[in-house]
Amino acid sequence: MDNQEYQSQENYPPYRGKGELEVPQKKKSDFGKGVAIGVLCTLFVMALAVGGIWLSIDLKNNRQSVNAEEKGNSKTAIFQENVEKKAGEIADLIDQYYYEDIDQSALIEGMYAGILNGLGDPYSSYFTAEEYASFNESTTGTYYGIGAVLNQNINTKIVTILHVYPGTPAEEAGVKDGDIIVKVGDIDGDSMELSELVSHIKGEEGTTVHLELLRQGEASHLEFDVARRKIQVPTVETQMLEGKIGLIQITEFSENTPEQFDSAIKDLQGQGMQAMIVDLRNNPGGVLQSVCTMLDKILPEGLVVYTEDKYGSRSEFKSDANCLEIPMAVLINENSASASEIFAGAIKDYKYGTLIGTTSFGKGIVQTIIPLNDGSAVKVTMAKYFTPKGNYIHDVGIAPDIELEYKYQGEDETYNPMHDNQVLKALEILQK
């Protein structure tokens, strides 16, 4: 991301997704200019990446059978005698010449990571036990903390509260969007990487963390003792717009997103919703089963998405006959990736709604997380996915039905959808 100083919230849609990028982003629009630029992180260590989609399966019972020659290729290559010899020589050179003490465990973990890096696939990677535990927190959407999103400036290491979730300990204690973290306990807020600082903010349920914050307009630092408790990250936000048109903003597809989505629809229907806008802008993806569950609620009977692996095995995800018969528009942009593209692609193929915005990210592959016995895990790209009509959108993306660059048309301090030109276009289409 661009290295700019933090700015307070200004004219941006609600926080859209989280995590560091696993791959370089495509060109950026002006969407959300007021969001602080930097490395984003919630109060659990972020693992969900832009363009991420995860297939949750029991691999021990679902591994593809391969012949002995195929099975041995990679293992044989790695453990050739000359490879082992060269690795030993490198280790000896490190012992002899490296200028500081060596963390042997880090060296070994780095070797494991290097095997996955050797694939040249930015989506396949190795997780240490700690990283895998953190990843599980991010995909379930539940963690123990204070309920806020943090942002760190890459150059200065200054950490700022980007967003405080409503109804959380952070909000109850008085922490506000835009506060700068001066100290966490006795630790200076700019003294370490964000993920490490986050580990000091998280903790056991019922304990507290002491925060010293700098707030614009305050002459002295503010101090808060914030309780830690179980936080369920909201991934779905709703608002009823003019003409009884419901706006549903989905920031990611975690395991609890379908439940939140279902509740959102019921709430809006209770308010008399007559049409619906689904906002997937800057949604990085998530769990494959989650987006399929949500599409099953919306679409008529038929194929939602299918995957194919290198053996030609095809897995299909389908919708039943129950559907949501309501006019719909879906907002996408160049950071709408993976599971977001499955959603948008299915809506487009079924002609069940109008896609508005800019061409999506273009990630048409699926990863599987394989846990190892020591608590670590390997993430491997295992299949391509295709839209119901058989479109493979990797590196291509999904083009909207109405191409429209984002432009915010108001002077509000906080985001107002009625000043968002893409939302206004959706309202225009749905009110015809």
Side-chain angles (χ1 to χ4, degrees), residues 41 50 55 57 154 160 169 173 187 200 225 251 267 281 301 303 318 395 398 407 426 431:
C41 186
V50 166
L55 178 62
I57 59 175
I154 294 175
T160 309
I187 301 169
H200 295 282
D225 288 311
T251 57
D267 177 61
R281 293 174 296 182
E301 185 174 7
L303 186 64
K318 296 182 178 181
D395 290 334
I398 297 173
K407 183 178 180 182
Q431 290 174 334

Side-chain angles (χ1 to χ4, degrees), residues 312-326:
S313 298
R314 173 167 165 159
S315 296
E316 296 184 345
F317 299 82
K318 296 182 178 181
S319 172
D320 61 24
N322 296 319
C323 59
L324 188 65
E325 296 182 359
I326 186 171

Side-chain angles (χ1 to χ4, degrees), residues 335-406:
N335 295 325
S336 303
S338 215
S340 294
E341 293 172 295
I342 288 176
F343 191 108
I347 295 297
K348 185 172 184 177
D349 281 4
Y350 276 92
K351 297 184 179 207
Y352 222 70
T354 303
L355 269 55
I356 300 171
T358 52
T359 300
S360 63
F361 186 88
K363 180 176 180 289
I365 50 180
V366 181
Q367 283 69 50
T368 294
I369 306 293
I370 308 171
L372 303 177
N373 292 333
D374 62 355
S376 61
V378 170
K379 175 163 66 75
V380 180
T381 299
M382 50 82 69
K384 300 176 181 179
Y385 77 76
F386 299 82
T387 70
K389 287 188 175 180
N391 296 318
Y392 179 54
I393 58 91
H394 195 63
D395 290 334
V396 176
I398 297 173
D401 299 306
I402 299 176
E403 180 82 19
L404 182 65
E405 291 283 346
Y406 172 80

Side-chain angles (χ1 to χ4, degrees), residues 224-240:
F224 302 92
D225 288 311
V226 187
R228 299 180 176 107
R229 67 171 182 249
K230 187 175 182 178
I231 305 294
Q232 187 175 77
V233 179
T235 59
V236 178
E237 296 183 14
T238 64
Q239 187 174 346
M240 184 65 81

